Amino acid sequence: MTEEEKNMIRRNLLSNGLGLTPPMGWNSWNHFHCDIEEKLIRETADAMVSTGLAAVGYEYINIDDCWGELNRDSEGNMVPKASTFPSGIKALADYVHSKGLKLGIYSDAGSQTCSKTMPGSLGHEEQDAKTFASWEIDYLKYDNCETDGDIEDNWNSMTSLADQNDKWSSYAAPGAWNDPDMLEIGNRGMGSDEYRSHFSIWAIAKAPLLIGCDLRSMDNQTYQILTNKEVIAVNQDKHGVQGKKVKKEGDLEVWAGPLSGGRVAVVLWNRSSSKARVTANWGDIGLNSSTLVVKARDLWAHSTNYSIKGHISADLESHACNMYVLTPQ
């Protein structure tokens, strides 16, 4: 296949309108692991709507591993586990769709899924795709076990995955987003500043925003982080460029990336164990002139400074961040 033919295929895939911004939704794995059943999925869809999460852009309800029987049927088809999904996946899709949401499902590129409780799709790729289509599935998580570790609900895991994801920033674009794993916000293993940093970095890095907590019992702090429309807007910006780490002085970091309309998103992040000042000079974040005046919108404080010159700084508590959208004046 020539390079021109490959490019034509890429253009055709983009023209289907899918994945033009990072997906937003919920996934069962981080909180529930294999402890899933159809009642949970229905109640999560209900909660996605009733809490207002759907109204700010979260639309996928994604079933992760452990939904199927260990063995395929006599025709080689995957079978929903009778004890936990007795109504079948198609009925569940119909319910989720009735809420104005979309249903996702899970498979693996190997012979078994990561839990080893159900078959993977190796050798059955086309057959499984047709099965999922017949169930009107909207989203497929296609895993590849043992390539790296899942995110865990702690500071070291989250920051490690942020750094790994940052190395691949140049490959992200509309229709092809890098995925540092699902969100842990609300699972209570980190503090509020750490969760706000988690959400800010995932947003600026154009990562999928897939909630990983129990939506039926999330607290107000979790809700306030997950529904910050200004942070979500950075993630969903049509320009589609993954923000990246542009400055590092020990554990003090600046992450930045361009947005539509000539704006720039910036995260000042204190990864140290004590309070510190973090500074981004205009040259650090792709603004050319040291005398340029910008309007700075603080996305967590929801406040605006209309005339900042040369740099932007913040005194940050340990593991905290500030996030801004800068608009040249």
Side-chain angles (χ1 to χ4, degrees):
M1 184 181 295
T2 67
E3 194 62 33
E4 184 178 350
E5 289 171 328
K6 291 178 182 176
N7 287 333
M8 183 176 293
I9 290 173
R10 293 188 190 104
R11 285 195 295 271
N12 288 339
L13 286 173
L14 275 178
S15 69
N16 67 16
L18 298 176
L20 299 184
T21 59
M24 295 176 62
W26 173 89
N27 179 284
S28 60
W29 184 257
N30 284 2
H31 189 87
F32 295 98
H33 299 282
C34 280
D35 189 18
I36 57 172
E37 38 79 32
E38 63 182 43
K39 180 173 178 285
L40 165 67
I41 304 305
R42 291 173 186 264
E43 290 178 352
T44 299
D46 294 343
M48 186 74 88
V49 175
S50 65
T51 59
L53 285 166
V56 298
Y58 296 96
E59 61 176 342
Y60 291 102
I61 303 294
N62 293 347
I63 307 168
D64 209 280
D65 201 353
C66 310
W67 60 265
E69 297 285 7
L70 178 62
N71 298 308
R72 294 173 179 270
D73 68 15
S74 60
E75 297 179 346
N77 296 310
M78 281 188 172
V79 181
K81 190 178 291 186
S83 61
T84 51
F85 293 91
S87 303
I89 303 300
K90 175 60 167 65
L92 207 50
D94 290 343
Y95 185 83
V96 170
H97 292 157
S98 76
K99 296 289 181 176
L101 302 170
K102 298 176 180 177
L103 185 69
I105 207 162
Y106 171 99
S107 189
D108 186 88
S111 58
Q112 289 185 314
T113 63
C114 297
S115 69
K116 297 181 170 52
T117 64
M118 58 177 287
S121 290
L122 183 65
H124 294 265
E125 292 85 356
E126 185 173 353
Q127 182 176 16
D128 290 350
K130 289 179 177 177
T131 296
F132 300 150
S134 74
W135 293 342
E136 298 187 16
I137 294 295
D138 304 289
Y139 185 117
L140 174 64
K141 176 181 174 180
Y142 202 50
D143 214 342
N144 205 343
C145 301
E146 316 301 335
T147 56
D148 56 22
D150 288 346
I151 192 171
E152 297 175 7
D153 189 16
N154 63 69
W155 174 255
N156 288 337
S157 174
M158 183 271 286
T159 55
S160 173
L161 285 167
D163 291 340
Q164 290 177 51
N165 185 61
D166 186 51
K167 298 174 183 177
W168 305 100
S169 60
S170 62
Y171 294 92
W177 306 107
N178 292 319
D179 183 8
D181 215 342
M182 299 162 292
L183 297 167
E184 289 284 6
I185 298 154
N187 285 328
R188 302 181 180 177
M190 288 185 268
S192 58
D193 282 342
E194 294 172 329
Y195 279 143
R196 197 174 290 118
S197 294
H198 182 11
F199 198 61
S200 299
I201 294 298
W202 262 236
I204 200 170
K206 302 299 191 292
L209 298 181
L210 296 173
I211 300 168
C213 67
D214 188 346
L215 298 188
R216 303 168 303 175
S217 58
M218 63 177 172
D219 58 25
N220 186 60
Q221 171 192 289
T222 300
Y223 177 79
Q224 293 300 327
I225 292 173
L226 294 174
T227 58
N228 186 321
K229 294 180 183 179
E230 295 190 80
V231 175
I232 291 171
V234 169
N235 179 261
Q236 297 289 299
D237 185 74
K238 303 300 184 185
H239 195 46
V241 175
Q242 178 173 325
K244 59 186 179 181
K245 190 184 308 188
V246 297
K247 182 181 180 181
K248 177 177 172 62
E249 295 179 345
D251 289 325
L252 309 182
E253 297 182 354
V254 177
W255 294 57
L259 301 174
S260 56
R263 299 169 302 145
V264 178
V266 179
V267 175
L268 306 181
W269 196 11
N270 176 14
R271 290 171 58 163
S272 77
S273 58
S274 57
K275 188 173 182 178
R277 170 165 287 199
V278 183
T279 298
N281 298 307
W282 289 171
D284 300 328
I285 58 177
L287 296 176
N288 293 325
S289 172
S290 61
T291 59
L292 184 67
V293 177
V294 306
K295 178 178 73 173
R297 177 66 175 176
D298 186 322
L299 306 190
W300 289 108
H302 304 295
S303 61
T304 306
N305 189 321
Y306 288 91
S307 56
I308 298 181
K309 296 180 179 180
H311 67 275
I312 189 165
S313 299
D315 294 316
L316 300 170
E317 298 294 336
S318 171
H319 295 183
C321 77
N322 276 13
M323 188 172 189
Y324 308 91
V325 169
L326 305 183
T327 305
Q329 298 297 286

